[in-house]
Amino acid sequence: MSAALELVGKGRHFASLGIREVTRQAGVVPTSFYRHFRSMDDLGLQLVDELGLVLRRMMREARGNVLQADKLIEESVGIFVAHAQANRSFFMFMAQGLAGESRAVQEGIRSEMRFFASELANDLRRLRLMQHLSDADLDMTCDLVVRTVAFSLTDLLSIAADDDYQVGQVRKRTSRFLQMIFVGAGHWQSESGTAL
Amino acid sequence: MSAALELVGKGRHFASLGIREVTRQAGVVPTSFYRHFRSMDDLGLQLVDELGLVLRRMMREARGNVLQADKLIEESVGIFVAHAQANRSFFMFMAQGLAGESRAVQEGIRSEMRFFASELANDLRRLRLMQHLSDADLDMTCDLVVRTVAFSLTDLLSIAADDDYQVGQVRKRTSRFLQMIFVGAGHWQSESGTAL
DNA sequence: GGTCTATGTGTACAAGTGTTCACTAATGTG
DNA sequence: CACATTAGTGAACACTTGTACACATAGACC
């Protein structure tokens, strides 16, 4: 699994990896592959499971570190970016998998994102934020937030990991996106029938 | 090029396609490939160019058909969904390419999206909408809109093309996302420093 | 009609592919 | 200690792959 991630981290697409290639990178003979996985799709699925762990660690850290509510967005985005940088290959795999060729992997990643969104909704409830929104509307908002962050991932992964200026730009832009979404959420319902 | 698209439409990932496979699908001998393309990456780049045409056709239709401003979002999303359905393989290629393994294709698609966003901004200006936003803020808003729609693409492409109910759901959800964004844009600046 | 260009064909080759099978070394458990 | 399980090995198989080269054909243009 690490070997596959390393190859992805080097710019390869998961869908184009072969069994021999992965085992070669792992410094192991091709037949050994079958001791652990039935197929490449299987490996992909197990990677999705591990991705879930990475995301949960990230959530835990975010919950611990975001203290003052007025910088909630900036700090959360910062933590996200930091984790994405620290686990670049993992997040590349995630970005690839969303439109990948294994339906199962695709669904797995999608489900991780749903989980993430619902946890975010719970956190907002716990913090007594956005209390005027119905449950459904809060869920929708969080879904939109998670999608927006996920898309920023592709920005982040397409620039050099050590290009601090560009990374800063991505962080700033993502924060503003989220601010706009939350401004919209703040004025939701009251006028959701008007304008445009 | 059509052959490659057909394979993508069948669920394959572009990055995993080989020259022989594509030419086989095209009903032509492998060596013929080199008459038209230098490599698979090259083929991908030409597909991006053609994708640009598809997107422009879509914009033109949207501009022609969106008459009453109060249904602007619903109608635009409807047109987008219709085009995505009619050119499923093309849009699959686009979704794949965003996190694909060819840097050039990636950048090409990204650039098409930027163009799309800037055209959208121009249209809004022409319609005298969102006039309280600075140019930069309008651009940002349109960027966010385009990203949101692009992400909906992955929802759309992951469900059966003839599942009208689910397609309707995607359309409805996408519209609500955009509404929320525009509500946010409508209240931008005035209070962009407050709350959350 | 002769020539040029674009496209496609057939053969060939070295290298890489997924999978199988029988074998081996290490590990922890009774 | 004996034994079962787990992880790794090496050789072999039938294919598939990218690419090179010389050759064929059909249409456009003088």
Side-chain angles (χ1 to χ4, degrees):
Chain A
M1 289 168 70
S2 326
L5 274 188
E6 285 161 28
L7 290 170
V8 166
K10 284 199 181 95
R12 301 290 313 279
H13 195 291
F14 185 79
S16 77
L17 298 182
I19 288 175
R20 287 186 112 105
E21 203 178 356
V22 171
T23 55
R24 197 182 309 130
Q25 172 80 20
V28 128
V29 101
T31 29
S32 280
F33 181 89
Y34 296 99
R35 298 284 175 208
H36 307 272
F37 316 100
R38 239 201 304 284
S39 63
M40 265 302 188
D41 274 20
D42 187 21
L43 198 171
L45 279 178
Q46 297 198 213
L47 275 179
V48 171
D49 290 347
E50 218 175 274
L51 175 66
L53 300 181
V54 174
L55 292 180
R56 264 149 259 244
R57 267 202 299 278
M58 186 172 90
M59 284 191 308
R60 195 165 336 120
E61 179 172 341
R63 275 197 267 260
N65 284 32
V66 175
L67 331 114
Q68 66 265 60
D70 60 325
K71 295 245 175 167
L72 199 148
I73 291 180
E74 275 86 353
E75 296 199 355
S76 301
V77 170
I79 291 173
F80 170 75
V81 169
H83 268 77
Q85 297 279 48
N87 304 284
R88 214 149 195 273
S89 315
F90 247 122
F91 283 83
M92 278 191 173
F93 171 73
M94 174 176 168
Q96 293 181 354
L98 264 172
E101 86 181 347
S102 154
R103 190 55 62 114
V105 167
Q106 223 172 108
E107 192 44 52
I109 292 178
R110 214 171 284 275
S111 135
E112 290 295 336
M113 284 180 57
R114 270 195 303 272
F115 176 73
F116 199 94
S118 79
E119 287 292 294
L120 175 57
N122 283 338
D123 285 0
L124 291 184
R125 269 189 273 268
R126 202 159 36 74
L127 294 173
R128 305 257 186 277
L129 291 170
M130 300 288 144
Q131 289 189 279
H132 64 292
L133 289 186
S134 70
D135 274 10
D137 284 340
L138 182 60
D139 285 343
M140 177 191 76
T141 306
C142 292
D143 192 6
L144 179 55
V145 166
V146 170
R147 283 157 181 263
T148 302
V149 172
F151 207 108
S152 290
L153 202 51
T154 66
D155 297 332
L156 198 58
L157 298 177
S158 78
I159 64 183
D162 58 357
D163 187 339
D164 292 344
Y165 172 73
Q166 292 228 58
V167 171
Q169 290 296 104
V170 169
R171 187 169 20 216
K172 203 168 3 169
R173 191 147 44 105
T174 306
S175 296
R176 268 189 308 188
F177 284 156
L178 298 193
Q179 266 152 13
M180 175 157 288
I181 292 171
F182 278 117
V183 169
H187 290 82
W188 193 239
Q189 207 106 4
S190 50
E191 64 171 286
S192 50
T194 10
L196 209 52
Chain B
M1 290 167 69
S2 325
L5 274 188
E6 286 161 27
L7 289 169
V8 166
K10 285 199 180 94
R12 301 291 313 279
H13 195 291
F14 184 80
S16 77
L17 297 182
I19 288 175
R20 286 187 112 104
E21 205 178 354
V22 172
T23 55
R24 198 181 309 130
Q25 172 79 21
V28 130
V29 100
T31 31
S32 280
F33 180 89
Y34 297 100
R35 298 285 176 201
H36 307 271
F37 315 100
R38 240 201 303 283
S39 65
M40 266 301 186
D41 274 19
D42 187 21
L43 198 170
L45 280 179
Q46 298 200 213
L47 275 179
V48 171
D49 289 347
E50 219 175 275
L51 175 66
L53 300 182
V54 174
L55 292 178
R56 264 149 259 243
R57 267 202 299 278
M58 187 172 91
M59 284 191 307
R60 196 166 333 123
E61 179 171 342
R63 275 198 268 262
N65 284 32
V66 175
L67 333 112
Q68 68 265 59
D70 59 325
K71 295 244 171 163
L72 199 148
I73 292 180
E74 276 87 352
E75 297 198 355
S76 301
V77 170
I79 290 172
F80 170 74
V81 169
H83 268 77
Q85 297 279 47
N87 304 285
R88 214 149 197 272
S89 314
F90 248 120
F91 284 82
M92 278 191 173
F93 171 73
M94 173 176 168
Q96 293 181 354
L98 265 171
E101 85 180 348
S102 154
R103 190 55 62 115
V105 167
Q106 223 173 108
E107 192 43 52
I109 292 179
R110 214 172 284 277
S111 136
E112 290 295 337
M113 285 180 57
R114 270 196 304 272
F115 176 72
F116 199 94
S118 79
E119 287 291 295
L120 175 58
N122 283 338
D123 285 0
L124 291 184
R125 268 189 274 269
R126 202 159 35 76
L127 294 173
R128 305 255 186 279
L129 291 169
M130 299 288 145
Q131 289 189 278
H132 63 291
L133 290 185
S134 70
D135 274 10
D137 284 340
L138 182 60
D139 285 344
M140 176 192 76
T141 307
C142 292
D143 192 5
L144 179 53
V145 166
V146 170
R147 282 155 180 263
T148 303
V149 172
F151 207 109
S152 291
L153 203 52
T154 66
D155 298 332
L156 197 59
L157 298 177
S158 78
I159 64 182
D162 58 357
D163 188 339
D164 293 344
Y165 173 72
Q166 292 227 60
V167 171
Q169 289 297 104
V170 170
R171 187 169 17 215
K172 204 167 6 172
R173 192 147 43 104
T174 306
S175 296
R176 268 189 307 188
F177 284 156
L178 298 194
Q179 266 152 15
M180 174 156 289
I181 292 171
F182 278 117
V183 168
H187 290 82
W188 194 241
Q189 207 105 3
S190 50
E191 63 173 285
S192 51
T194 10
L196 207 53

